[in-house]
Amino acid sequence: MIEVSEGFGRNALIKKGLALEATPVNINNLKLQNKHAEKVAEENLEAAKEMAEKVKDWKVETTLKSGEGGRTFGSVSAKEIAEAVEKQYHEKIDKKKIHLPEPIRSLGVHEVTLKLHPQVTATLRVHVGEKN
């Protein structure tokens, strides 16, 4: 809440829908909205912590084509990892939450960081095998 001149408030802010008059009803509605937003934020944080606990034991399997000498063709991207998680563990993880500095281009086990919430990160193990 801020205090502005009466003319500016009535003729510009309220008229354009950018502000409301500070009546007792509007102040109470604002308090209720803030409480609800805090509750939703807390629920999101708890859900992210639960997902981080689940993810720490997971090992996602995926494959890459490879040729002679273990040389690989193509790479594994965040989208493919998200699809593999959904297929193997029936959990949705947004590909935007999977942090890959660069796509995975080698066989073996790789650790991938998941940014589930601004305060919660988790590590997911991705095993890249050879496709026949």
Side-chain angles (χ1 to χ4, degrees):
M1 283 193 318
I2 60 170
E3 194 170 317
V4 296
S5 68
E6 190 176 333
F8 179 64
R10 185 180 309 118
N11 296 329
L13 298 177
I14 294 174
K15 186 175 182 181
K16 292 180 182 178
L18 300 174
L20 294 173
E21 188 175 351
T23 62
V25 172
N26 287 339
I27 292 172
N28 190 36
N29 286 342
L30 179 63
K31 287 179 184 177
L32 290 175
Q33 285 177 351
N34 288 341
K35 281 184 182 178
H36 179 70
E38 287 174 8
K39 183 179 177 186
V40 168
E42 191 174 303
E43 289 172 357
N44 288 341
L45 178 61
E46 289 301 316
K49 286 180 181 178
E50 288 176 19
M51 180 62 88
E53 281 298 312
K54 287 183 192 177
V55 166
K56 74 178 184 181
D57 299 326
W58 291 356
K59 187 173 183 182
V60 178
E61 304 282 335
T62 187
T63 58
L64 270 178
K65 276 190 173 183
S66 62
E68 288 182 27
R71 181 168 181 247
T72 60
F73 302 105
S75 62
V76 177
S77 66
K79 179 181 177 185
E80 292 167 331
I81 293 171
E83 289 170 356
V85 166
E86 188 170 357
K87 184 185 273 186
Q88 293 171 26
Y89 295 101
H90 308 292
E91 291 279 348
K92 280 194 170 229
I93 294 181
D94 188 9
K95 68 179 183 179
K96 295 173 188 164
K97 295 183 180 203
I98 299 172
H99 178 69
L100 280 176
E102 56 187 46
I104 299 171
R105 296 194 165 129
S106 61
L107 302 176
V109 178
H110 303 273
E111 294 201 350
V112 176
T113 304
L114 301 178
K115 187 115 170 112
L116 300 172
H117 188 271
Q119 300 172 2
V120 180
T121 58
T123 302
L124 176 68
R125 288 189 321 266
V126 178
H127 179 262
V128 181
E130 189 173 346
K131 187 186 278 187
N132 294 333

